[in-house]
Amino acid sequence: MKDSHDNAVVLSADEIVPTSWYNFMCDYSELLSKEDFDLPAKLSHIKSINVAPKQPLSLMKQSYNTTDREILIPAELREKYLTYRATPLRRAIYLERHLSTNTRIFYKYEGANISGSHKLNTALAQAYYYKKAGVKHMVTATGAGQWGAAIAYACKVFGLECTVFMVNVSLEQKPQRKSIIEMFGAKVHSSPSTLTAVGKNAIHKKNIEWGSLAIATAEAIECAREMNASFAVGSGENAVLLHQTIIGNEALYQMSLLNEFPEYVVACMGAGSNFAGISLPFMKKDLIQQGKHCRLVAAEPIGCPKLTRGIYAYDINDYSGTTPISKMYTLGSDYIAPPIHAGGLRYHGTSEFLSAMYAKNMFDAQAISQRDAISSGLLFSELEGILPAPESAHAIAAALNIVKEKKPKSLLINISGHGLYDLAAYNEARTGELSDGAADEKLISNSLGALQRTLV
Ligand SMILES: *Cc1c(COP(=O)(O)O)cnc(C)c1O
C-alpha cells in the first residue's frame, strides 16, 4: 500500500466542480412508469383532493424530464456552489490499515459547508429557482435541522424570507442547529406546535411529543398556505435527487483522475437524496456499456427500516395527507421512529424513484443499529480525522460490513455531513449509555397494519 497522502485530489475548484447534473430519469425512464400501479380505492380521494405544493415550473419540469441526460447548472448557481465545492474525495488510508484490508476505501465528504451537510446542494438550487419564479417567502420542515440550516442559508444568499418547522426531539438534541437557522434570519418553530391545526391535533391525539418529519411537513404546508408562501422539501423528490447528483458527478471525475471506479458505492438512506446523489452517476448507462459496474448499498437505521422491513405501496408523505401520495417503500405514515440521533433517517418512507429501483433489485440495503453506526463513526473519526454525522456513520458501518464480507477491490462511501453537533451521541457511545435504537415492534406492526388496511 502506498504510504502517502497524494491520493487527495487537488485541482482548482473550477476544474472539478461539475457544470451539469446527471438526469437519471433519462437513462432509467422505465422506472417512472406508473401503469402497473393500482391506486387503492381508499386513497384515491386523497389524490384527487390534494393540492400539490406550489412549485416553480422550472423545478416541476426537472422532476419529470426524461429527455436530457445532463442538465446544465445555471452559471449564477454554480458560482454559489464554488464557495464550498469541490468537496474532498479522499482515500481512507488509516482505516484501510486498521482493517488490514486490501480494499481501497474512498470517501466523499459533504460536511464542510455552513449547513454541515449535502443538503446545501439542493437548498441553493431551490432558492435560486424560487427566487427566479418571484417567490418571496419559503416555509419548510426539517428533521435533524440540516435541511433547515441549508435552506435558511440559501434563502439568505438569494434574499428570500424563511420559516422552518423543526422536529421537537431534534431541536432538543441539537439546539445549535436552531441557532444557525436563526443566525441567517429564518424563524424556527418546534413541531408539533400549537401554531397550526395539524400540530394541535397531533399533540391532542397521541403521545407524540417527539414529533416526526411527517407532522412537521404537514405543519409547514398548512403554514405556507396561510401565509401565501411556498413550501419546499429537502429530499425525496426527483428534482432534489437531481441536484444532489453534483456529488456523484464530481466524485466520478475525481475517481477517474485516480484511474479508479468503485466496486461498491455506499450511502445512508433517509428519503434518498445523498444516496441518489453520490450513487446514480456511477450507474450511467454509457458507463455500464463500457463494462463499468458497481453495486449500490443503502444503509438505514434498524429503528426506521423502510427498505428492509417496509412494504412497497401507495402511502401519504406527511401526517395530514396534504402532499401527493407516493408509491414507495414505507413503514406507514403513522410510524414514529424512536428518537435516534440520526434524525435525518427517521422518515417513514423514501423516494419514489429509488423505491422503484429497489423493487427491481437494483441496489441492496442494510439495517444498522445505532450502536454499530456510532461506534463506526467514532472509529472513522479517530483514524481519518473527520467526525461524521450519525446519519453518515450508518453508511460507514455498512461499508465496514461489505469490506469484511465481500472483500471488494474498492469502495466509495458518502459522508453526507459532519457530527460536530452530535457529540451527545458520541458521548453516550463512549460511556456505554447509547441505546441500539431498535424499532418498537408494536409501532411497526400497527403502522404497517393501518397502511395495509388502506390497500384492500
Ligand atoms: C438529511 C440528511 C440525511 C438523510 O437524507 P437523504 O435525503 O436520505 O440524504 C443523511 N445525512 C445527513 C447528514 C443529512 O443531513
Side-chain angles (χ1 to χ4, degrees), residues 13-98:
D14 204 32
E15 287 171 278
I16 309 174
V17 175
T19 51
S20 64
W21 293 300
Y22 167 54
N23 181 16
F24 44 88
M25 288 169 283
C26 179
D27 277 347
Y28 294 100
S29 58
E30 71 275 10
L31 295 176
L32 299 169
S33 148
K34 300 196 175 180
E35 279 153 28
D36 53 339
F37 289 2
D38 293 325
L39 187 62
K42 280 193 185 161
L43 283 178
S44 56
H45 72 287
I46 294 180
K47 190 155 202 175
S48 56
I49 60 166
N50 73 41
V51 264
K54 280 176 291 177
Q55 224 184 25
L57 199 59
S58 47
L59 278 173
M60 218 124 74
K61 276 191 190 150
Q62 285 184 350
S63 278
Y64 297 100
N65 180 337
T66 54
T67 46
D68 307 304
R69 266 183 97 248
E70 301 281 335
I71 292 181
L72 220 58
I73 300 172
E76 187 189 344
L77 172 60
R78 186 167 176 271
E79 239 169 66
K80 306 293 186 210
Y81 281 150
L82 284 170
T83 59
Y84 65 97
R85 304 202 73 87
T87 66
L89 175 98
R90 297 213 184 91
R91 184 163 162 191
I93 306 172
Y94 298 103
L95 179 61
E96 288 176 20
R97 255 186 233 165
H98 173 84

Coordinates of all heavy atoms in Angstrom, one line a residue, residues 13-98:
A13 N -10.9 24.5 -8.1 CA -12.3 24.1 -8.0 C -13.0 24.2 -9.3 O -13.8 23.3 -9.7 CB -13.0 25.1 -7.0
D14 N -12.7 25.2 -10.1 CA -13.4 25.4 -11.4 C -13.2 24.2 -12.3 O -14.0 23.9 -13.2 CB -13.0 26.7 -12.0 CG -14.0 27.2 -13.0 OD1 -15.2 27.0 -12.7 OD2 -13.6 27.8 -14.0
E15 N -12.0 23.5 -12.1 CA -11.7 22.3 -13.0 C -12.5 21.1 -12.6 O -12.7 20.2 -13.3 CB -10.2 22.0 -12.9 CG -9.3 23.0 -13.6 CD -7.9 22.7 -13.3 OE1 -7.4 23.2 -12.3 OE2 -7.2 22.0 -14.1
I16 N -12.9 21.1 -11.3 CA -13.5 19.8 -10.8 C -15.0 19.9 -10.6 O -15.7 18.9 -10.9 CB -13.0 19.5 -9.3 CG1 -11.4 19.5 -9.3 CG2 -13.5 18.1 -8.9 CD1 -10.8 19.4 -8.0
V17 N -15.5 21.1 -10.2 CA -17.0 21.2 -10.0 C -17.7 21.0 -11.3 O -17.5 21.6 -12.3 CB -17.3 22.5 -9.3 CG1 -18.8 22.7 -9.2 CG2 -16.6 22.7 -8.0
P18 N -18.7 20.0 -11.3 CA -19.4 19.7 -12.5 C -20.2 20.9 -13.0 O -20.6 21.8 -12.2 CB -20.4 18.7 -12.0 CG -19.8 18.0 -10.8 CD -19.0 19.1 -10.1
T19 N -20.4 21.0 -14.3 CA -21.2 22.0 -14.9 C -22.6 21.6 -15.1 O -23.5 22.3 -15.6 CB -20.6 22.5 -16.2 OG1 -20.3 21.3 -17.0 CG2 -19.2 23.2 -16.0
S20 N -22.8 20.3 -14.9 CA -24.2 19.8 -15.1 C -24.5 18.7 -14.0 O -23.7 18.2 -13.4 CB -24.3 19.1 -16.5 OG -23.5 18.0 -16.6
W21 N -25.9 18.5 -13.9 CA -26.4 17.4 -13.1 C -26.7 16.2 -14.0 O -26.9 16.4 -15.1 CB -27.7 17.9 -12.4 CG -27.6 18.9 -11.4 CD1 -26.9 18.9 -10.2 CD2 -28.3 20.2 -11.4 NE1 -27.1 20.1 -9.5 CE2 -28.0 20.9 -10.2 CE3 -29.2 20.8 -12.3 CZ2 -28.5 22.2 -9.9 CZ3 -29.7 22.1 -12.0 CH2 -29.3 22.8 -10.8
Y22 N -26.6 15.0 -13.4 CA -26.9 13.8 -14.1 C -28.4 13.5 -14.0 O -28.9 13.3 -12.9 CB -26.1 12.7 -13.6 CG -26.6 11.3 -14.1 CD1 -26.8 11.1 -15.5 CD2 -26.9 10.3 -13.3 CE1 -27.2 9.9 -16.0 CE2 -27.4 9.1 -13.7 CZ -27.6 8.9 -15.1 OH -28.1 7.7 -15.6
N23 N -29.1 13.6 -15.1 CA -30.6 13.3 -15.0 C -30.8 11.8 -15.3 O -31.0 11.3 -16.4 CB -31.3 14.1 -16.1 CG -32.8 13.9 -16.0 OD1 -33.3 13.3 -15.0 ND2 -33.5 14.2 -17.1
F24 N -30.9 11.1 -14.1 CA -31.1 9.6 -14.2 C -32.4 9.2 -14.8 O -32.6 8.1 -15.3 CB -31.0 9.1 -12.7 CG -31.8 9.9 -11.8 CD1 -33.1 9.7 -11.5 CD2 -31.2 11.0 -11.1 CE1 -33.8 10.5 -10.6 CE2 -31.9 11.8 -10.2 CZ -33.2 11.5 -10.0
M25 N -33.4 10.1 -14.8 CA -34.7 9.8 -15.4 C -34.6 9.6 -16.9 O -35.5 9.0 -17.5 CB -35.7 10.9 -15.1 CG -36.1 10.9 -13.6 SD -37.0 12.3 -13.1 CE -35.7 13.5 -13.0
C26 N -33.5 10.1 -17.5 CA -33.3 9.9 -18.9 C -32.9 8.4 -19.2 O -33.5 7.7 -20.0 CB -32.3 10.9 -19.5 SG -32.0 10.7 -21.2
D27 N -31.9 8.0 -18.5 CA -31.4 6.6 -18.6 C -32.4 5.6 -18.1 O -32.4 4.4 -18.6 CB -30.0 6.4 -17.9 CG -28.8 6.9 -18.7 OD1 -29.0 7.2 -19.9 OD2 -27.8 7.1 -18.1
Y28 N -33.1 5.9 -17.1 CA -34.0 4.9 -16.4 C -35.4 5.3 -16.5 O -36.1 5.2 -15.4 CB -33.5 4.7 -15.0 CG -32.1 4.1 -14.9 CD1 -31.0 4.8 -14.7 CD2 -31.9 2.7 -15.1 CE1 -29.7 4.3 -14.7 CE2 -30.7 2.1 -15.1 CZ -29.6 2.9 -14.9 OH -28.3 2.3 -14.9
S29 N -35.9 5.8 -17.6 CA -37.3 6.4 -17.6 C -38.3 5.3 -17.4 O -39.4 5.5 -16.9 CB -37.5 7.0 -19.0 OG -37.3 6.1 -20.0
E30 N -37.9 4.0 -17.6 CA -38.9 2.9 -17.4 C -39.3 2.8 -15.9 O -40.4 2.3 -15.6 CB -38.3 1.6 -17.9 CG -37.2 0.9 -17.1 CD -35.8 1.5 -17.5 OE1 -35.7 2.5 -18.3 OE2 -34.8 0.9 -17.0
L31 N -38.4 3.3 -15.1 CA -38.8 3.2 -13.6 C -39.8 4.3 -13.2 O -40.3 4.2 -12.1 CB -37.5 3.4 -12.8 CG -36.4 2.4 -12.9 CD1 -35.2 2.7 -12.1 CD2 -37.0 1.0 -12.4
L32 N -40.1 5.2 -14.1 CA -41.1 6.2 -13.8 C -42.5 5.8 -14.2 O -43.5 6.4 -13.8 CB -40.8 7.5 -14.5 CG -39.4 8.2 -14.2 CD1 -39.2 9.3 -15.2 CD2 -39.4 8.7 -12.8
S33 N -42.6 4.7 -14.9 CA -43.9 4.3 -15.4 C -44.8 3.9 -14.2 O -44.4 3.1 -13.3 CB -43.7 3.1 -16.3 OG -44.8 2.2 -16.2
K34 N -46.0 4.3 -14.2 CA -46.9 4.0 -13.1 C -48.1 3.1 -13.6 O -49.0 2.9 -12.8 CB -47.5 5.3 -12.6 CG -46.4 6.2 -12.0 CD -47.0 7.3 -11.1 CE -45.8 8.1 -10.6 NZ -46.2 9.1 -9.7
E35 N -47.9 2.6 -14.8 CA -49.1 1.8 -15.3 C -49.4 0.6 -14.5 O -50.6 0.3 -14.3 CB -48.7 1.3 -16.8 CG -48.9 2.4 -17.8 CD -48.1 2.3 -19.0 OE1 -47.7 1.1 -19.3 OE2 -47.8 3.3 -19.6
D36 N -48.4 0.0 -13.9 CA -48.7 -1.3 -13.2 C -49.1 -1.0 -11.7 O -49.1 -1.9 -10.9 CB -47.5 -2.2 -13.2 CG -46.2 -1.5 -12.8 OD1 -46.2 -0.3 -12.8 OD2 -45.3 -2.2 -12.4
F37 N -49.3 0.3 -11.4 CA -49.6 0.6 -10.0 C -51.1 0.7 -9.9 O -51.8 1.5 -10.6 CB -49.0 2.0 -9.7 CG -47.5 2.0 -9.5 CD1 -46.8 0.9 -9.8 CD2 -46.9 3.2 -9.2 CE1 -45.4 0.9 -9.6 CE2 -45.5 3.2 -9.0 CZ -44.8 2.1 -9.3
D38 N -51.6 -0.1 -8.9 CA -53.0 0.1 -8.6 C -53.2 1.1 -7.5 O -52.6 0.9 -6.4 CB -53.6 -1.3 -8.1 CG -53.5 -2.3 -9.2 OD1 -53.8 -1.9 -10.4 OD2 -53.3 -3.5 -8.9
L39 N -53.9 2.1 -7.8 CA -54.2 3.1 -6.8 C -55.3 2.5 -5.9 O -56.4 2.3 -6.3 CB -54.6 4.4 -7.4 CG -54.8 5.6 -6.5 CD1 -53.5 5.9 -5.8 CD2 -55.3 6.8 -7.2
P40 N -55.0 2.3 -4.6 CA -56.0 1.7 -3.8 C -57.2 2.7 -3.6 O -57.1 3.9 -3.5 CB -55.3 1.6 -2.4 CG -54.1 2.4 -2.5 CD -53.7 2.5 -3.9
A41 N -58.4 2.1 -3.7 CA -59.6 2.9 -3.7 C -59.7 3.8 -2.5 O -60.1 5.0 -2.7 CB -60.9 2.0 -3.7
K42 N -59.3 3.3 -1.4 CA -59.4 4.2 -0.2 C -58.5 5.4 -0.2 O -58.7 6.3 0.6 CB -59.1 3.3 1.1 CG -60.3 2.5 1.5 CD -60.0 1.9 2.9 CE -61.2 1.0 3.2 NZ -60.8 0.1 4.3
L43 N -57.5 5.4 -1.0 CA -56.6 6.5 -1.1 C -56.9 7.4 -2.3 O -56.4 8.5 -2.4 CB -55.2 6.0 -1.2 CG -54.5 5.6 0.1 CD1 -53.1 5.1 -0.1 CD2 -54.5 6.6 1.2
S44 N -57.8 7.0 -3.2 CA -57.9 7.7 -4.4 C -58.5 9.1 -4.2 O -58.1 10.1 -4.8 CB -58.8 7.0 -5.4 OG -60.0 6.7 -4.8
H45 N -59.3 9.2 -3.1 CA -59.9 10.6 -2.8 C -58.7 11.5 -2.4 O -58.8 12.7 -2.7 CB -60.9 10.5 -1.7 CG -60.3 10.2 -0.4 ND1 -59.8 9.0 0.0 CD2 -60.1 11.0 0.7 CE1 -59.4 9.0 1.2 NE2 -59.5 10.3 1.6
I46 N -57.7 11.0 -1.8 CA -56.6 11.9 -1.3 C -56.0 12.4 -2.5 O -55.7 13.6 -2.6 CB -55.6 11.1 -0.5 CG1 -56.2 10.6 0.8 CG2 -54.4 11.9 -0.2 CD1 -55.3 9.8 1.7
K47 N -55.7 11.6 -3.5 CA -55.0 12.0 -4.7 C -55.8 13.1 -5.4 O -55.3 14.1 -5.9 CB -54.7 10.9 -5.7 CG -53.8 11.3 -6.8 CD -53.0 10.2 -7.3 CE -51.8 10.7 -8.0 NZ -50.9 9.6 -8.5
S48 N -57.1 13.0 -5.4 CA -57.9 14.0 -6.2 C -58.1 15.3 -5.4 O -58.2 16.3 -6.0 CB -59.3 13.4 -6.5 OG -59.9 12.9 -5.4
I49 N -58.1 15.2 -4.1 CA -58.3 16.5 -3.4 C -57.0 17.2 -3.0 O -57.0 18.4 -2.7 CB -59.2 16.3 -2.1 CG1 -58.5 15.4 -1.1 CG2 -60.6 15.9 -2.4 CD1 -59.1 15.5 0.3
N50 N -55.9 16.5 -3.0 CA -54.7 17.1 -2.5 C -54.2 18.2 -3.5 O -54.4 18.1 -4.7 CB -53.6 16.1 -2.2 CG -53.0 15.5 -3.4 OD1 -52.7 16.2 -4.3 ND2 -52.7 14.2 -3.3
V51 N -53.6 19.2 -2.9 CA -53.1 20.3 -3.8 C -51.6 20.1 -3.7 O -50.9 20.1 -2.7 CB -53.4 21.7 -3.2 CG1 -54.6 22.2 -3.9 CG2 -53.6 21.6 -1.7
A52 N -51.0 20.0 -4.9 CA -49.5 19.9 -4.9 C -49.0 21.2 -4.4 O -49.5 22.3 -4.7 CB -49.0 19.7 -6.4
P53 N -47.9 21.2 -3.6 CA -47.3 22.4 -3.1 C -46.9 23.3 -4.3 O -46.4 22.8 -5.3 CB -46.1 22.0 -2.3 CG -46.3 20.5 -2.1 CD -47.2 20.0 -3.2
K54 N -47.2 24.6 -4.2 CA -46.8 25.5 -5.3 C -45.4 25.4 -5.6 O -44.6 25.8 -4.8 CB -47.3 26.9 -5.0 CG -48.7 27.2 -5.1 CD -49.0 28.6 -4.7 CE -48.8 28.7 -3.2 NZ -49.0 30.1 -2.7
Q55 N -45.0 24.9 -6.8 CA -43.6 24.8 -7.1 C -43.4 25.5 -8.4 O -44.2 25.5 -9.3 CB -43.3 23.3 -7.3 CG -42.1 22.9 -6.7 CD -41.7 21.4 -7.0 OE1 -42.2 20.9 -8.0 NE2 -40.9 20.9 -6.2
P56 N -42.2 26.2 -8.6 CA -42.0 26.8 -9.9 C -41.9 25.8 -11.0 O -41.5 24.7 -10.8 CB -40.6 27.5 -9.7 CG -40.3 27.4 -8.3 CD -41.1 26.4 -7.6
L57 N -42.4 26.2 -12.2 CA -42.4 25.3 -13.3 C -41.0 24.7 -13.6 O -40.9 23.5 -13.9 CB -42.9 26.1 -14.5 CG -43.5 25.3 -15.7 CD1 -44.6 24.4 -15.2 CD2 -43.9 26.2 -16.8
S58 N -40.0 25.5 -13.4 CA -38.6 25.1 -13.7 C -38.3 23.8 -12.9 O -37.7 22.9 -13.4 CB -37.7 26.2 -13.3 OG -37.9 26.8 -12.1
L59 N -38.7 23.8 -11.6 CA -38.4 22.7 -10.7 C -39.3 21.5 -11.1 O -38.9 20.4 -11.1 CB -38.6 23.0 -9.3 CG -37.5 23.8 -8.6 CD1 -37.9 24.2 -7.2 CD2 -36.2 22.9 -8.5
M60 N -40.6 21.8 -11.4 CA -41.5 20.7 -11.7 C -41.0 20.0 -12.9 O -41.1 18.8 -13.0 CB -42.9 21.4 -12.0 CG -44.0 20.5 -11.4 SD -45.0 21.5 -10.3 CE -45.9 22.5 -11.4
K61 N -40.6 20.8 -13.9 CA -40.1 20.2 -15.2 C -38.9 19.3 -14.9 O -38.7 18.2 -15.5 CB -39.6 21.3 -16.1 CG -40.8 21.9 -17.0 CD -40.2 22.8 -18.1 CE -41.2 23.6 -18.8 NZ -40.7 24.8 -19.3
Q62 N -38.0 19.7 -13.9 CA -36.9 18.9 -13.6 C -37.3 17.5 -13.1 O -36.6 16.6 -13.2 CB -36.0 19.6 -12.6 CG -35.2 20.7 -13.2 CD -34.2 21.4 -12.2 OE1 -34.3 21.1 -11.1 NE2 -33.4 22.3 -12.8
S63 N -38.4 17.5 -12.4 CA -38.8 16.3 -11.8 C -39.4 15.3 -12.8 O -39.6 14.1 -12.5 CB -39.9 16.5 -10.7 OG -39.2 16.9 -9.5
Y64 N -39.7 15.8 -14.0 CA -40.4 14.9 -15.0 C -39.6 14.8 -16.3 O -40.1 14.3 -17.3 CB -41.8 15.3 -15.2 CG -42.6 15.2 -13.9 CD1 -42.9 16.3 -13.2 CD2 -43.1 13.9 -13.5 CE1 -43.6 16.1 -12.0 CE2 -43.8 13.8 -12.3 CZ -44.0 14.9 -11.6 OH -44.7 14.7 -10.4
N65 N -38.4 15.4 -16.4 CA -37.7 15.5 -17.6 C -37.0 14.1 -17.9 O -36.2 13.6 -17.1 CB -36.6 16.5 -17.5 CG -35.7 16.6 -18.7 OD1 -35.6 15.7 -19.5 ND2 -35.1 17.8 -18.9
T66 N -37.4 13.5 -19.0 CA -36.8 12.2 -19.3 C -36.0 12.3 -20.6 O -35.6 11.2 -21.1 CB -37.9 11.1 -19.5 OG1 -38.8 11.6 -20.5 CG2 -38.6 10.8 -18.2
T67 N -35.8 13.5 -21.1 CA -35.1 13.6 -22.4 C -33.7 14.1 -22.3 O -32.9 13.7 -23.2 CB -35.9 14.5 -23.3 OG1 -36.2 15.7 -22.6 CG2 -37.1 13.8 -23.9
D68 N -33.3 14.9 -21.3 CA -31.9 15.4 -21.3 C -31.1 14.6 -20.2 O -31.5 14.7 -19.0 CB -32.0 16.9 -20.9 CG -32.9 17.7 -21.8 OD1 -32.6 17.6 -23.0 OD2 -33.8 18.3 -21.3
R69 N -30.0 14.0 -20.7 CA -29.2 13.2 -19.7 C -28.5 14.1 -18.8 O -28.3 13.7 -17.6 CB -28.2 12.4 -20.5 CG -28.7 11.0 -20.8 CD -27.6 10.2 -21.5 NE -26.9 9.4 -20.6 CZ -25.6 9.6 -20.3 NH1 -25.0 10.6 -20.8 NH2 -25.0 8.8 -19.5
E70 N -27.9 15.1 -19.3 CA -27.2 16.1 -18.4 C -27.9 17.4 -18.4 O -28.3 17.9 -19.5 CB -25.7 16.2 -18.8 CG -24.9 14.9 -18.9 CD -24.4 14.5 -17.5 OE1 -24.2 15.3 -16.6 OE2 -24.1 13.2 -17.4
I71 N -28.1 18.0 -17.2 CA -28.9 19.2 -17.2 C -27.9 20.3 -16.7 O -27.3 20.2 -15.6 CB -30.1 19.1 -16.3 CG1 -31.1 18.2 -17.0 CG2 -30.7 20.5 -16.0 CD1 -32.4 18.0 -16.2
L72 N -27.8 21.3 -17.5 CA -26.8 22.4 -17.2 C -27.1 23.1 -15.9 O -28.3 23.5 -15.7 CB -26.8 23.4 -18.4 CG -25.4 23.9 -18.8 CD1 -24.5 22.8 -19.2 CD2 -25.6 24.9 -19.9
I73 N -26.1 23.3 -15.0 CA -26.3 24.0 -13.8 C -26.2 25.5 -14.2 O -25.2 25.9 -14.7 CB -25.2 23.7 -12.8 CG1 -25.3 22.2 -12.4 CG2 -25.4 24.5 -11.5 CD1 -24.2 21.7 -11.5
P74 N -27.2 26.3 -13.8 CA -27.2 27.7 -14.2 C -25.9 28.4 -13.6 O -25.5 28.1 -12.5 CB -28.4 28.4 -13.6 CG -29.3 27.2 -13.4 CD -28.5 26.0 -13.2
A75 N -25.3 29.3 -14.4 CA -24.0 29.8 -14.1 C -24.0 30.6 -12.7 O -23.1 30.4 -11.9 CB -23.5 30.8 -15.2
E76 N -25.1 31.3 -12.5 CA -25.2 32.0 -11.2 C -25.2 31.1 -10.0 O -24.7 31.4 -9.0 CB -26.5 32.9 -11.2 CG -26.6 33.8 -10.1 CD -28.0 34.5 -10.0 OE1 -28.7 34.5 -11.1 OE2 -28.3 35.1 -9.0
L77 N -25.9 30.0 -10.2 CA -26.0 29.0 -9.1 C -24.6 28.3 -8.9 O -24.1 28.1 -7.8 CB -27.1 28.0 -9.5 CG -27.2 26.7 -8.6 CD1 -27.5 27.1 -7.1 CD2 -28.3 25.8 -9.1
R78 N -24.0 27.9 -10.0 CA -22.7 27.2 -10.0 C -21.7 28.1 -9.2 O -20.8 27.6 -8.5 CB -22.2 26.8 -11.4 CG -20.9 26.0 -11.3 CD -20.6 25.3 -12.6 NE -19.4 24.6 -12.6 CZ -18.2 25.2 -12.8 NH1 -18.1 26.4 -13.2 NH2 -17.1 24.4 -12.8
E79 N -21.8 29.4 -9.4 CA -20.9 30.3 -8.7 C -21.0 30.2 -7.2 O -20.1 30.2 -6.4 CB -21.2 31.7 -9.1 CG -20.1 32.5 -9.7 CD -20.6 33.8 -10.3 OE1 -21.0 34.7 -9.5 OE2 -20.5 33.9 -11.5
K80 N -22.3 30.0 -6.8 CA -22.5 29.8 -5.3 C -22.0 28.5 -4.9 O -21.4 28.3 -3.8 CB -24.0 29.9 -5.0 CG -24.7 31.1 -5.5 CD -24.3 32.4 -4.8 CE -25.1 33.5 -5.2 NZ -24.4 34.8 -5.2
Y81 N -22.1 27.4 -5.7 CA -21.5 26.1 -5.4 C -20.0 26.2 -5.2 O -19.4 25.6 -4.4 CB -21.8 25.1 -6.5 CG -23.2 24.5 -6.5 CD1 -23.8 24.1 -7.7 CD2 -23.9 24.3 -5.4 CE1 -25.1 23.5 -7.8 CE2 -25.2 23.7 -5.4 CZ -25.8 23.4 -6.6 OH -27.0 22.8 -6.6
L82 N -19.4 27.1 -6.0 CA -17.9 27.2 -5.9 C -17.5 27.8 -4.6 O -16.3 27.7 -4.2 CB -17.4 28.1 -7.1 CG -17.4 27.4 -8.4 CD1 -17.1 28.4 -9.5 CD2 -16.4 26.3 -8.5
T83 N -18.4 28.3 -3.7 CA -17.9 28.8 -2.4 C -17.5 27.6 -1.5 O -16.7 27.7 -0.6 CB -19.0 29.6 -1.7 OG1 -20.2 28.8 -1.5 CG2 -19.4 30.9 -2.4
Y84 N -18.1 26.4 -1.7 CA -17.7 25.3 -0.9 C -17.4 24.0 -1.7 O -17.0 23.0 -1.1 CB -18.8 25.0 0.2 CG -20.1 24.5 -0.4 CD1 -20.4 23.2 -0.5 CD2 -21.0 25.4 -0.9 CE1 -21.6 22.7 -1.0 CE2 -22.2 25.0 -1.5 CZ -22.5 23.6 -1.5 OH -23.7 23.2 -2.1
R85 N -17.6 24.0 -3.0 CA -17.2 22.9 -3.8 C -15.9 23.2 -4.5 O -15.7 24.4 -4.8 CB -18.3 22.5 -4.8 CG -19.7 22.3 -4.1 CD -20.6 21.4 -5.0 NE -20.1 20.0 -5.0 CZ -20.5 19.1 -4.1 NH1 -21.3 19.4 -3.2 NH2 -20.0 17.9 -4.2
A86 N -15.1 22.2 -5.0 CA -15.4 20.8 -4.9 C -15.2 20.4 -3.5 O -14.4 20.9 -2.7 CB -14.4 20.1 -5.8
T87 N -16.0 19.3 -3.1 CA -15.8 18.7 -1.8 C -14.7 17.6 -1.9 O -14.5 17.1 -3.0 CB -17.1 18.1 -1.3 OG1 -17.5 17.0 -2.1 CG2 -18.2 19.2 -1.2
P88 N -14.0 17.3 -0.8 CA -12.9 16.4 -0.9 C -13.4 15.0 -1.2 O -14.4 14.5 -0.7 CB -12.4 16.4 0.6 CG -12.9 17.6 1.2 CD -14.2 17.9 0.5
L89 N -12.6 14.3 -2.1 CA -12.6 12.9 -2.2 C -11.3 12.4 -1.7 O -10.3 12.8 -2.2 CB -12.8 12.5 -3.7 CG -12.7 11.0 -3.9 CD1 -14.1 10.4 -4.0 CD2 -11.9 10.5 -5.1
R90 N -11.4 11.5 -0.7 CA -10.1 11.1 -0.1 C -10.1 9.6 0.0 O -11.1 8.9 0.1 CB -9.9 11.7 1.3 CG -9.8 13.1 1.4 CD -8.9 13.6 2.5 NE -8.9 15.1 2.5 CZ -9.7 15.8 3.3 NH1 -10.6 15.1 4.1 NH2 -9.7 17.1 3.3
R91 N -8.9 9.0 0.1 CA -8.7 7.6 0.4 C -8.5 7.4 1.9 O -7.7 8.1 2.5 CB -7.6 7.1 -0.4 CG -7.4 5.6 -0.3 CD -6.6 4.9 -1.3 NE -6.1 3.6 -0.9 CZ -5.2 2.9 -1.5 NH1 -4.6 3.4 -2.5 NH2 -4.9 1.7 -1.0
A92 N -9.3 6.5 2.5 CA -9.2 6.4 3.9 C -8.1 5.4 4.3 O -8.3 4.2 4.7 CB -10.5 5.8 4.5
I93 N -6.8 5.9 4.1 CA -5.7 5.0 4.2 C -5.5 4.4 5.6 O -5.2 3.2 5.8 CB -4.4 5.8 4.0 CG1 -4.5 6.5 2.6 CG2 -3.1 4.9 4.0 CD1 -3.3 7.5 2.4
Y94 N -5.8 5.2 6.6 CA -5.6 4.7 8.0 C -6.7 3.7 8.4 O -6.4 2.8 9.1 CB -5.6 5.9 9.0 CG -4.4 6.8 8.7 CD1 -4.6 8.0 8.0 CD2 -3.1 6.4 9.0 CE1 -3.5 8.8 7.7 CE2 -2.0 7.2 8.7 CZ -2.2 8.4 8.0 OH -1.2 9.2 7.7
L95 N -7.9 3.9 7.9 CA -8.9 3.0 8.1 C -8.6 1.6 7.4 O -8.7 0.6 8.0 CB -10.3 3.5 7.6 CG -11.5 2.6 7.7 CD1 -11.8 2.3 9.2 CD2 -12.7 3.2 7.1
E96 N -8.1 1.7 6.2 CA -7.7 0.5 5.5 C -6.6 -0.3 6.3 O -6.7 -1.5 6.5 CB -7.0 0.9 4.1 CG -8.0 1.3 3.1 CD -7.4 1.8 1.8 OE1 -6.2 1.4 1.5 OE2 -8.0 2.6 1.0
R97 N -5.6 0.5 6.8 CA -4.6 -0.2 7.5 C -5.1 -0.8 8.8 O -4.7 -1.9 9.1 CB -3.5 0.9 8.0 CG -2.3 0.8 7.1 CD -1.3 1.8 7.7 NE -0.9 2.6 6.6 CZ -0.2 3.7 6.7 NH1 0.0 4.2 7.9 NH2 0.2 4.4 5.7
H98 N -6.0 -0.1 9.5 CA -6.6 -0.6 10.7 C -7.3 -1.9 10.5 O -7.3 -2.8 11.3 CB -7.5 0.5 11.3 CG -8.3 0.0 12.5 ND1 -7.8 0.0 13.8 CD2 -9.5 -0.5 12.6 CE1 -8.7 -0.5 14.6 NE2 -9.7 -0.8 13.9

